[in-house]
Amino acid sequence: MSKNKSADENIKRLMKEKGWTLTKKEDHLYFFEGVQGNIIVKSDIWKKNYTIFRFPDGI
């Protein structure tokens, strides 16, 4: 888990609402599975208090 547990919970909840299921987490990578296939979402910590999530195009 990242240091920011709140960000972890928020991305899991958001993706679940959109129909994606978290299958695995490694460091700053979140692996999701859904109807559209599998995706990887990358997170970056910015200035200790912010987490930026990078989604694949089209998601």
Side-chain angles (χ1 to χ4, degrees), residues 3-15:
K3 293 179 183 178
N4 189 342
K5 289 182 183 181
S6 178
D8 281 343
E9 294 304 316
N10 286 337
I11 190 67
K12 288 179 198 176
R13 181 180 42 80
L14 172 72
M15 294 302 283

Side-chain angles (χ1 to χ4, degrees), residues 41-59:
V41 176
K42 182 181 179 195
S43 68
D44 294 308
I45 305 293
W46 184 68
K47 298 208 180 218
K48 289 196 239 182
N49 296 320
Y50 301 95
T51 302
I52 300 169
F53 292 102
R54 301 183 192 279
F55 295 86
D57 291 339
I59 300 299

